[in-house]
Every structure is written in structure tokens, then in C-alpha cells.
Amino acid sequence: MEMIKYDQLVDAKGLACPMPIVRTKKAMNELEPGKVLEIQATDKGSTADIKAWAQSTGHQYLGTLEEGEVLKHYLRKATGEEKEEKKHPHVVNNEELQAKLANNEGILVLDVRESAEYAFNHIPGAKSIPLGELENRFNELSEDADIYVVCRTGSRSDLAAQKLAEAGFKTVINVVPGMSEWGNPTDSLNK
């Protein structure tokens, strides 16, 4: 089983509704925007509860893994990134990226979401380097590659595209809107 990287853990094992949500709310209030929370629960209803709560509050429900009796739910705290201004000049939409992938154009899809987001849903063959690790991992990328940067909404990928261009990468394109509206096949832990 692949390990999911998270920033904070909530132990709600043995607790019934509404306690997993109560503990999740408290932990989410203390978490920095963009960070990932793992909630461990044994209440089978917690999956639907946490998913609905995340949707109603604007946080991102990433997915749930079952390990024996324990359900591990993953949430990403909202950042307001949908409202951030986009600045990188080279942009394509999801359909344009899918056409390039279908034509086997030899491009690199760089996914800059958190590793937990990537694990639950990503474009087949995409390379995962979370935005916060990108500058330390430039050496994993070729400056001459055609790099298509994807995140959930196009905001983190915009920042990543700017950083790559500033570092001398020649062809860097931001993919908008990204995974939030990706309608093509993906790889995922949820098979």
C-alpha cells in the first residue's frame, strides 16, 4: 500500500457521528491553507459525512482508504486559490493537453499538487513534484522538455510555471482549469 503524505492526523477511531466531524473541524481550523489532513475513523458513516462536510465548507475531499477496520480520510484545506490572479503567459485548456497526449507528442505532464491529491487521481504518466518541493527538485526535469504543468484549478500550476520559466526552462505551459475539471482517464488508488 502506498503511503499518503499528510501534514496533520486526526484520531477519531471508536467515535460515532458527529464526533469525527467535530474533531475534523477543530483540526482544520488549526491547519494552514493547502495542507493535507488525515482523519482516521472506524464509523462507516464517516466517509459520507466527511465528504459532505468538505464540500459544504470549500475544503477538498481527496479520498478514503480502508485499512482493516480503519477508514483513512484525506482532506486538503481550502486556500482561496480559485480567486488568485494568473500570470504565466503560456496557457492551454484541458482539451488541448488531452489532444497532445493522444498524439503522443512526447510532452512532460508535471503535477504540482500535494502527493495525497496525486495519489488519489492523476493523469497517467504525469510526474508528481508538489509545488513546495519544486525548486529543490528542478534537477529532475530537463530544461529542454515541453512541460505542461497541472494542479487542481490552474493556480498552483501558474506559480510553478512562473518558477520554471524564471529558472530557465524553455517551454512551460500552464494547464487550466486542471484536475478539477479533467474529464479524461486518470490513474488512482481508488480502483
Side-chain angles (χ1 to χ4, degrees):
M1 168 87 36
E2 185 174 339
M3 288 294 299
I4 302 292
K5 189 173 168 189
Y6 57 89
D7 299 291
Q8 189 172 333
L9 173 69
V10 172
D11 183 353
K13 296 187 295 282
L15 302 176
C17 182
M19 290 312 295
I21 293 294
V22 170
R23 288 206 176 165
T24 299
K25 279 184 187 178
K26 184 178 185 316
M28 198 60 86
N29 287 337
E30 298 166 359
L31 201 60
E32 289 180 39
K35 298 295 183 181
V36 175
L37 188 65
E38 178 182 290
I39 304 101
Q40 295 182 359
T42 49
D43 179 1
K44 296 295 181 199
S46 65
T47 302
D49 294 345
I50 287 175
K51 195 172 192 177
W53 178 80
Q55 186 174 13
S56 71
T57 57
H59 300 298
Q60 183 184 3
Y61 171 78
L62 301 176
T64 298
L65 295 177
E66 270 188 69
E67 289 187 6
E69 295 295 311
V70 178
L71 298 165
K72 293 182 174 184
H73 308 290
Y74 296 89
L75 299 177
R76 180 176 171 268
K77 185 166 181 173
T79 62
E81 65 189 18
E82 295 78 7
K83 299 178 183 101
E84 291 177 11
E85 183 179 331
K86 305 205 178 4
K87 297 178 183 136
H88 188 70
H90 307 291
V91 178
V92 298
N93 63 34
N94 288 2
E95 292 74 24
E96 292 170 295
L97 174 59
Q98 181 56 37
K100 290 194 173 293
L101 291 169
N103 291 335
N104 294 319
E105 292 191 20
I107 63 172
L108 170 65
V109 177
L110 177 63
D111 192 322
V112 296
R113 297 174 300 152
E114 294 300 316
S115 60
E117 292 173 275
Y118 177 86
F120 280 104
N121 184 30
H122 61 271
I123 297 169
K127 179 168 185 64
S128 173
I129 301 180
L131 178 61
E133 300 174 16
L134 184 60
E135 290 174 86
N136 293 330
R137 294 177 63 186
F138 281 157
N139 63 327
E140 295 178 32
L141 305 169
S142 167
E143 286 186 9
D144 297 320
D146 291 351
I147 303 173
Y148 286 74
V149 189
V150 67
C151 69
R152 187 170 71 88
T153 63
S155 293
R156 282 178 281 173
S157 57
D158 179 71
L159 293 172
Q162 291 176 56
K163 287 182 180 190
L164 288 163
E166 289 166 8
F169 289 85
K170 294 172 183 53
T171 307
V172 181
I173 296 97
N174 185 20
V175 180
V176 177
M179 297 306 291
S180 64
E181 295 183 29
W182 186 257
N184 296 294
T186 60
D187 286 341
S188 172
L189 283 177
N190 294 334
K191 294 284 182 194

